[in-house]
């Protein structure tokens, strides 16, 4: 990846600071970055499980109707979004709170995982108490999760102090998140879709909880004193409004599509193929976007991402949509296309966060994301409640199927609408603008 690679040593400024810990030098060590990415991998599995499987889990494993499921999911996401904003604005500046955020994750991880396990145990209870139990456990999970999520996201500007390294680290984070999504699709989703033992489901949830707690504690080994040098920010200011509007549109559409994936796999796609290929597409897309960044720029990435999403739309409407080739095509195009837009949005947000108050910027960003996901769950619940989705998903022109198509089109349009808002230039990925050659000096004679 050339100068866009981030290996923990790029752009390092040696100033006599200690060589251990995240923040005793402008760039973190390779071991610290690895620990951070491992913690992000574990945390991301919790989040992918909640976005991919929780809705399907409540209707198919717990026996709740679609509207009740949507109200529980939407209400919990609103709570999560508000908590993100509160937690994020609770710290004043990213350069003075890195150590406290690491400690916060270590304390919050066991609490978050406890509520996660209680929620996963809902099918073991009597049907008369499942609604109250699932709502209580899910609310607890949503309230505790921001204390892991917001600080860990904000740590990007402390680990990678320069713009190029920061974008490369974001791409690596997204790749790790893709691996986490793949793990959920391969290990957890079949347990629900194929109606396997609840003991196996709880075993998976328990193993994941142990991993989340262990990696949160592992970060404590790299706790350090605050850095004295501020992080590098973009040289030009960009308005947050277009980024947040695009984020809201993207998350409504992405959450709708992702929440429908297990339903599609169970009742139309004959397995978890779409979930697996979507995770692979997101995983493979990140290095491709970084490698092509110099030639494409932000505008090129968004244009190609929109084209991939439209290709997925065409295939999803075709006569062979339920076949393995179609599932692979739709999944790869959706995963890669959405990950391109996701990289641009996170890069734009982190460019502003690098100037200070990183947790505040991250908290608002993720708050908008969670609120948009809540809207998606309400929309999903309405569509599922008004159609026999277990049979209708096999029809490409049914309401649930067209909702998946509409989601892909909305993400593609969001990509195209963001291009002029970001004032695309070839400097967006750390390139220097071409220097104009000075004009010849006029003759003095």
């Amino acid at each position: 990846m050339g100068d866009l690679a981030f290996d923990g040593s790029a752009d390092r400024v040696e100033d006599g600071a200690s060589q251990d810990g995240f923040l005793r030098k402008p760039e973190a060590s390779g071991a610290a970055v690895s620990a951070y990415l491992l913690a992000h991998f574990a945390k991301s599995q919790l989040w992918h499980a909640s976005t991919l499987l929780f809705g399907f889990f409540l209707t198919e494993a717990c026996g709740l109707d679609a509207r009740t499921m949507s109200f529980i999911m939407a209400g919990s996401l609103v709570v999560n979004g508000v908590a993100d904003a509160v937690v994020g604005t609770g710290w004043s500046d990213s350069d003075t709170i890195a150590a406290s955020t690491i400690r916060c994750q270590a304390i919050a991880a066991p609490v978050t995982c406890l509520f996660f396990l209680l929620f996963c145990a809902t099918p073991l209870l009597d049907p008369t108490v499942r609604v109250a139990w699932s709502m209580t456990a899910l609310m607890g999970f949503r309230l505790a999760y921001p204390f892991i999520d917001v600080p860990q996201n904000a740590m990007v500007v402390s680990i990678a102090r320069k713009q190029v390294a920061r974008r490369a680290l974001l791409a690596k984070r997204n790749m790790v998140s893709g691996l986490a999504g793949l793990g959920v699709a391969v290990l957890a989703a079949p347990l629900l879709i194929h109606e396997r033992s609840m003991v196996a489901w709880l075993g998976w949830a328990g193993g994941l909880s142990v991993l989340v707690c262990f990696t949160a504690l592992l970060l404590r080994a790299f706790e350090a004193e605050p850095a004295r040098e501020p992080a590098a920010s973009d040289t030009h200011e960009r308005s947050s409004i277009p980024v947040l509007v695009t984020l809201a549109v993207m998350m409504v559409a992405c959450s709708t599509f992702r929440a429908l994936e297990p339903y599609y796999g169970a009742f139309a796609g004959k397995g978890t193929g779409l979930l697996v290929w979507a995770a692979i597409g997101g995983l493979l897309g990140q290095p491709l976007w970084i490698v092509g960044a110099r030639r494409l720029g932000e505008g090129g990435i968004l244009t190609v991402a929109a084209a991939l999403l439209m290709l997925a739309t065409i295939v999803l409407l075709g006569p062979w949509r339920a076949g393995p080739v179609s599932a692979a095509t739709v999944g790869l195009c959706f995963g890669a296309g959405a990950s391109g837009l996701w990289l641009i949005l996170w890069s734009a947000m982190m460019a502003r966060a690098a100037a200070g108050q990183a947790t505040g910027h991250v908290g608002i960003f993720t708050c908008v994301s969670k609120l948009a996901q809540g809207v998606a769950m309400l929309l999903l619940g309405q569509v599922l409640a008004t159609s026999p989705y277990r049979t209708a998903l096999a029809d490409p022109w049914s309401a649930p199927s067209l909702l998946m198509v509409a989601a892909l089109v909305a993400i593609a349009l969001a990509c195209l609408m963001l291009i002029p808002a970001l004032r695309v230039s070839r400097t967006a990925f750390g390139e220097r603008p071409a220097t104009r050659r000075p004009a010849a000096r006029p003759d003095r004679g």
Side-chain angles (χ1 to χ4, degrees), residues 25-395:
K25 58 185 177 180
E27 297 295 343
S29 67
V33 173
S34 298
Y36 174 78
L37 292 175
L38 182 60
H40 187 69
F41 169 76
K43 182 209 71 170
S44 295
Q45 287 195 72
L46 283 180
W47 185 249
H48 284 302
S50 72
T51 56
L52 272 173
L53 303 179
F54 277 12
F56 184 87
F57 174 74
L58 287 174
T59 57
E60 307 309 310
C62 303
L64 305 186
D65 63 90
R67 279 200 177 92
T68 302
M69 174 275 293
S70 69
F71 287 133
I72 291 175
M73 291 291 292
S76 70
L77 284 164
V78 170
V79 169
N80 199 155
V82 173
D84 280 352
V86 172
V87 171
T89 55
W91 281 289
S92 60
D93 192 272
S94 64
D95 291 327
T96 62
I97 49 80
S100 64
T101 59
I102 294 175
R103 289 194 295 269
C104 177
Q105 293 175 68
I107 296 171
V111 179
T112 305
C113 291
L114 173 62
F115 283 111
F116 176 73
L117 289 171
L118 292 175
F119 178 77
C120 290
T122 302
L124 302 180
L125 303 176
D126 187 89
T128 58
V129 299
R130 286 179 182 176
V131 173
W133 178 277
S134 62
M135 184 179 299
T136 303
L138 189 55
M139 287 296 180
F141 172 78
R142 299 295 193 194
L143 284 170
Y145 185 78
F147 290 92
I148 303 175
D149 188 41
V150 173
Q152 192 179 109
N153 289 331
M155 285 170 63
V156 169
V157 298
S158 298
I159 299 173
R161 312 291 295 173
K162 296 188 177 182
Q163 297 173 41
V164 173
R166 197 160 54 240
R167 288 192 176 96
L169 178 59
L170 284 172
K172 286 189 175 184
R173 265 174 40 111
N174 290 345
M175 291 175 65
V176 166
S177 179
L179 281 173
L182 183 61
V184 171
V186 171
L187 298 177
L191 299 177
L192 294 180
I193 292 177
H194 299 305
E195 299 181 352
R196 295 178 182 172
S197 170
M198 280 294 105
V199 175
W201 163 259
L202 289 173
W204 168 82
L208 174 58
S209 298
V210 171
L211 180 63
V212 171
C213 295
F214 169 76
T215 55
L217 290 173
L218 185 63
L219 288 178
R220 293 294 300 270
F222 299 96
E223 182 180 324
E225 296 297 326
R228 296 184 297 274
E229 179 183 339
S233 182
D234 281 349
T235 56
H236 59 283
E237 284 291 324
R238 287 175 170 174
S239 172
S240 298
I241 301 302
V243 172
L244 294 178
V245 171
T246 305
L247 173 69
V249 174
M250 175 193 175
M251 292 313 299
V252 170
C254 269
S255 297
T256 301
F257 188 90
R258 300 238 71 185
L260 276 169
E261 282 182 33
Y263 291 98
Y264 179 87
F267 306 121
K270 301 176 183 178
T272 59
L274 180 59
L275 287 79
V276 173
W277 286 112
I280 294 174
L283 175 63
L284 297 180
Q286 292 302 305
L288 295 178
W289 297 133
I290 291 295
V291 169
R294 281 190 174 275
R295 293 185 177 275
L296 296 176
E298 286 179 329
I301 286 178
L302 292 171
T303 302
V304 174
L308 291 173
L309 292 161
M310 292 310 298
L311 175 59
T313 301
I314 294 171
V315 175
L316 196 58
L317 286 171
W320 302 285
R321 61 194 294 268
V325 175
S326 295
T329 303
V330 172
L332 287 172
C333 290
F334 165 74
S339 73
L341 177 56
W342 195 233
L343 177 62
I344 298 298
L345 291 174
W346 269 102
S347 297
M349 188 275 296
M350 283 297 178
R352 296 183 65 84
Q357 295 184 333
T359 54
H361 285 287
V362 170
I364 297 301
F365 187 85
T366 55
C367 174
V368 172
S369 173
K370 306 296 171 49
L371 295 179
Q373 292 176 66
V375 172
M377 296 313 299
L378 290 176
L379 175 62
L380 176 66
Q382 180 64 26
V383 171
L384 293 182
T386 55
S387 64
Y389 61 88
R390 292 180 178 87
T391 56
L393 274 166
D395 178 8

